[in-house]
Amino acid sequence: MKGEPSCPRCGNRVHAPGDPSAHLPVVPASLVGEVPDTVPENLASLPVSALPLGSDSAVDLWHCELHGAVHPVQPVLSPDSETLGDVAAHSQVPLWLPWPLPGHWRFSGVAYAGDRIDGARATVVAASGPSPFGGEGDLLLIAEEMGIGIGARFAGLPGPDPGPIFEDTAAHAKVYAAGRPTPMWAVPGTGDRAVFVGEARGMWLWLVLWPAIAGTLLYDEVVLTDLRDAAAEIPHLPLGTLCPRFFG
């Protein structure tokens, strides 16, 4: 995530659309067969709307050698209000941030998956400040469409989505996202971090906190603002240094 587009699921380098060095996926033998009679011999006779191409087709997407077609994670952006405002203006998904921020916490960077043409399809907003029990704490707030996988990556899960986390227990915490109460489930077995996941505005919402004890912040009332709806507040955000958790 440092200097070139990367895979949201593994962080490895990705190939741009049309890159001849990309290893295209191999079609399993079980799926290879005769072309059905319903497919016309001349595809040019089909209307464009009937062709299997579009803004989300593999033709237009970047490729990870491990995970195939992906929306690339662009290089991390330093904490700057103008840069954050620009990302918010072009994003298709929320940019969540506690507002007001907890005492002495600061905005500490942003990253997104997608491009400037289609807009962000996943966002990662960082905040940093004092941990409740001493030392420094970091928080990543991730909004993403289903199947992107960047939230699971920071949570240390195989991904791309949370899986059966919601099936066995009631919600462990609650936040207010854009004014709506939003149940959040604690993800077990995440080691040095605390991870909570829920849904807000039709997207996955992940909160990843370091150290793990910083997860107690969620047992207070946490109010999240979608920065796309708070453009006037962005210039007033307290700015910190770039969060190191983007690169861990």
Side-chain angles (χ1 to χ4, degrees):
M1 294 178 67
K2 288 185 178 181
E4 60 184 13
S6 61
C7 174
R9 295 183 60 181
C10 65
N12 292 334
R13 176 179 175 269
V14 290
H15 298 276
D19 184 346
S21 67
H23 297 290
L24 297 179
V26 177
V27 178
S30 61
L31 298 180
V32 177
E34 296 183 359
V35 177
D37 294 337
T38 53
V39 177
E41 294 182 1
N42 182 9
L43 287 178
S45 65
L46 284 175
V48 173
S49 61
L51 294 174
L53 302 175
S55 61
D56 288 334
S57 74
V59 174
D60 297 323
L61 290 178
W62 295 59
H63 284 261
C64 169
E65 294 189 1
L66 181 61
H67 295 108
V70 297
H71 293 287
V73 180
Q74 302 298 331
V76 176
L77 300 169
S78 298
D80 172 85
S81 57
E82 184 175 348
T83 299
L84 180 60
D86 186 56
V87 175
H90 294 88
S91 181
Q92 296 189 34
V93 301
L95 287 91
W96 297 115
L97 190 69
W99 192 252
L101 282 165
H104 305 292
W105 279 65
R106 297 177 178 274
F107 164 60
S108 54
V110 63
Y112 68 92
D115 56 46
R116 287 297 300 269
I117 297 175
D118 294 328
R121 312 296 285 269
T123 59
V124 186
V125 180
S128 302
S131 177
F133 294 92
E136 290 296 308
D138 297 300
L139 166 64
L140 297 183
L141 302 101
I142 300 163
E144 63 177 341
E145 297 176 353
M146 293 184 65
I148 299 291
I150 194 169
R153 171 184 161 194
F154 280 113
L157 301 177
D161 296 312
I165 293 171
F166 311 105
E167 296 180 358
D168 298 328
T169 181
H172 301 100
K174 179 177 67 176
V175 300
Y176 288 86
R180 299 177 65 90
T182 303
M184 301 293 291
W185 280 260
V187 179
T190 53
D192 65 340
R193 70 208 69 183
V195 179
F196 293 81
V197 63
E199 295 180 68
R201 290 194 164 176
M203 312 283 176
W204 292 125
L205 166 61
W206 300 80
L207 303 180
V208 187
L209 303 101
W210 289 265
I213 194 66
T216 56
L217 287 170
L218 264 70
Y219 299 114
D220 295 328
E221 184 172 290
V222 176
V223 178
L224 303 182
T225 294
D226 182 352
L227 294 174
R228 298 178 302 170
D229 300 333
E233 302 296 336
I234 290 177
H236 304 293
L237 288 174
L239 305 179
T241 58
L242 184 60
C243 179
R245 304 299 180 177
F246 284 112
F247 313 109

